[in-house]
Amino acid sequence: MRESEILVKYFEYDSPTELASDYQVLVEKAKDATKDAYAPYSKFRVGAAVLLENGEIITGTNQENAAYPSGLCAERVAIFYANSKYPSQAIKAIAVASFYNGKFNETPVYPCGSCRQVLLETQNRFNKPMDIIMYGSNSIQIVKSARLLLPLCFDVDLKAKD
Ligand code: THU
């Protein structure tokens, strides 16, 4: 028997002003996008902003549905749209913010399991680690790779070989 441990390194900031200027903009875009969420059921508004390698920023918001599982998280809306519009652009970073009960949540919003799986595949697709910036009004946390959010992940290459 061998015991092993996986450690996750993340960087924590008290305020967006501590971030590099392009990340400050990205966080602002994610916060701003929360206004456009369609979240009539949970009232939990999430905004995501994706920074592409060409400098373009794509935003997305959570989209809910009366048939609950048919909705989609803000991260996947933003990533899928970014990959649809710019299929050859790697994602440098994604910022996520959430708004509930009249204010931005104090603790960072962490991507759900399904979004983590999609973040990982997007990262693998372009073979470039992306920064994931999770905004909270009291703390901003950044991990430097989607791999860190999904230890022991399923990432075998099932794509058909030509
Ligand atoms: N949600 C997101 O959009 N992103 C997350 O990281 C967590 C959860 C959405 C899904 C649902 O519309 C609402 O937040 C409440 O779970």
Side-chain angles (χ1 to χ4, degrees):
M1 203 277 273
R2 273 187 307 278
E3 187 176 304
S4 303
E5 196 175 10
I6 297 174
L7 296 174
V8 176
K9 177 147 96 176
Y10 64 93
F11 299 84
E12 188 164 16
Y13 305 82
D14 294 334
S15 150
T17 55
E18 291 175 39
L19 302 173
S21 61
D22 55 345
Y23 283 8
Q24 290 189 29
V25 170
L26 202 63
V27 164
E28 241 355 271
K29 295 258 183 196
K31 288 172 70 179
D32 202 43
T34 61
K35 294 194 198 102
D36 302 324
Y38 178 64
Y41 304 103
S42 71
K43 318 272 190 223
F44 191 85
R45 299 172 159 273
V46 185
V50 164
L51 175 63
L52 299 174
E53 239 177 10
N54 64 3
E56 193 88 25
I57 293 176
I58 301 285
T59 60
T61 62
N62 54 330
Q63 299 293 313
E64 297 185 347
N65 192 279
Y68 286 3
S70 302
L72 201 63
C73 294
E75 295 91 321
R76 274 177 287 164
V77 169
I79 287 173
F80 289 154
Y81 181 57
N83 288 338
S84 304
K85 195 160 161 46
Y86 298 102
S88 58
Q89 287 296 317
I91 291 180
K92 268 183 74 179
I94 178 169
V96 194
S98 63
F99 189 92
Y100 188 61
N101 267 342
K103 61 182 179 61
F104 288 103
N105 287 297
E106 291 174 1
T107 49
V109 55
Y110 300 115
C112 77
S114 296
C115 287
R116 291 174 193 219
Q117 190 72 41
V118 168
L119 288 164
L120 181 69
E121 175 122 0
T122 305
Q123 176 172 294
N124 287 349
R125 174 173 170 184
F126 296 104
N127 205 18
K128 294 239 173 71
M130 68 172 80
D131 286 348
I132 300 161
I133 306 162
M134 297 159 287
Y135 173 81
S137 56
N138 283 349
S139 162
I140 299 154
Q141 293 168 13
I142 300 185
V143 293
K144 306 287 295 173
S145 165
R147 210 51 192 78
L148 294 168
L149 288 184
L150 208 58
L152 307 177
C153 58
F154 180 72
D155 69 350
V156 292
D157 189 1
L158 297 177
K159 287 190 278 300
K161 304 276 181 277
D162 302 326

